[in-house]
Amino acid sequence: MKSIIIYESTHHGNTKKIVDAITQKHNAEAVSIENAESVELSGYDMVGLAAGIAFGKFYKRMEEFAAKIPSGKQAFLLYTCGNPSGGYVKSITKTLESNGVKVMGSYGCRGYDTYGPFKLVGGIAKGHPTEEEIDGAVAFYNKISGRE
Ligand SMILES: Cc1cc2nc3c(=O)[nH]c(=O)nc-3n(C[C@H](O)[C@H](O)[C@H](O)COP(=O)(O)O)c2cc1C
């Protein structure tokens, strides 16, 4: 099972931390969203989409990229967010599934957030993702890639 992770982690590099942990442990490939257009997705069985959350969804660029994944591929989702409230994968999952892409699972955890008014109070979810949350992302990847 050959897989690649496309990531967008512009706020504090929170999502990149979980992507890095996965690529370091598994020799998996990862490419930033800026370079995603040059990736030949036909060469991969499974595509991971990893991003921070903005306004209740994956970052806009990632939501748009999801629509370009070829039908028949498998996908998985990784995200970090300031305030886990559920439903953050809903929109991107709908885009993927309506294009015939099978979503194998998702993993999300908290990530340091200084957006808007939170900046005034020093941010929320400081110290996240924690080591434990990062390990959780690796365990999730193990599971969906069939290593466990
Ligand atoms: C413009 C903007 C909007 C955000 N909206 C949300 C949101 O709706 N829900 C949430 O839980 N976190 C929200 N956040 C917090 C980020 O999702 C969180 O800090 C995330 O870990 C950032 O990931 P990154 O460092 O990989 O970019 C927002 C952050 C920014 C900058």
Side-chain angles (χ1 to χ4, degrees):
M1 178 74 70
K2 202 173 172 204
S3 61
I4 187 163
I5 302 173
I6 311 293
Y7 65 88
E8 183 176 10
S9 183
T10 46
H11 189 40
H12 284 290
N14 297 326
T15 313
K16 180 78 167 33
K17 286 183 188 158
I18 65 176
V19 171
D20 283 349
I22 292 170
T23 56
Q24 279 160 21
K25 289 248 164 73
H26 294 293
N27 204 17
E29 284 178 64
V31 169
S32 78
I33 190 80
E34 285 81 21
N35 300 318
E37 297 291 344
S38 61
V39 175
E40 193 44 77
L41 291 176
S42 59
Y44 299 89
D45 307 295
M46 189 153 69
V47 183
L49 301 181
I53 298 298
F55 314 114
K57 294 177 176 187
F58 275 52
Y59 288 158
K60 194 164 178 275
R61 212 165 160 186
M62 191 60 77
E63 291 270 346
E64 287 168 3
F65 182 75
K68 298 178 186 163
I69 298 182
S71 174
K73 293 282 171 213
Q74 294 183 355
F76 62 95
L77 302 169
L78 298 167
Y79 66 91
T80 62
C81 61
N83 178 29
S85 68
Y88 292 151
V89 299
K90 207 171 161 187
S91 165
I92 200 163
T93 298
K94 195 173 167 203
T95 302
L96 290 163
E97 287 182 343
S98 65
N99 282 342
V101 177
K102 189 163 195 260
V103 179
M104 306 306 287
S106 64
Y107 177 85
C109 67
R110 298 181 83 196
Y112 183 43
D113 178 8
T114 55
Y115 177 64
F118 295 133
K119 196 168 184 175
L120 301 174
V121 294
I124 59 168
K126 217 169 184 167
H128 293 268
T130 61
E131 286 303 318
E132 209 173 20
E133 288 165 334
I134 292 170
D135 289 349
V138 175
F140 163 78
Y141 182 79
N142 284 344
K143 211 171 184 178
I144 53 145
S145 61
R147 287 182 171 83
E148 211 175 59

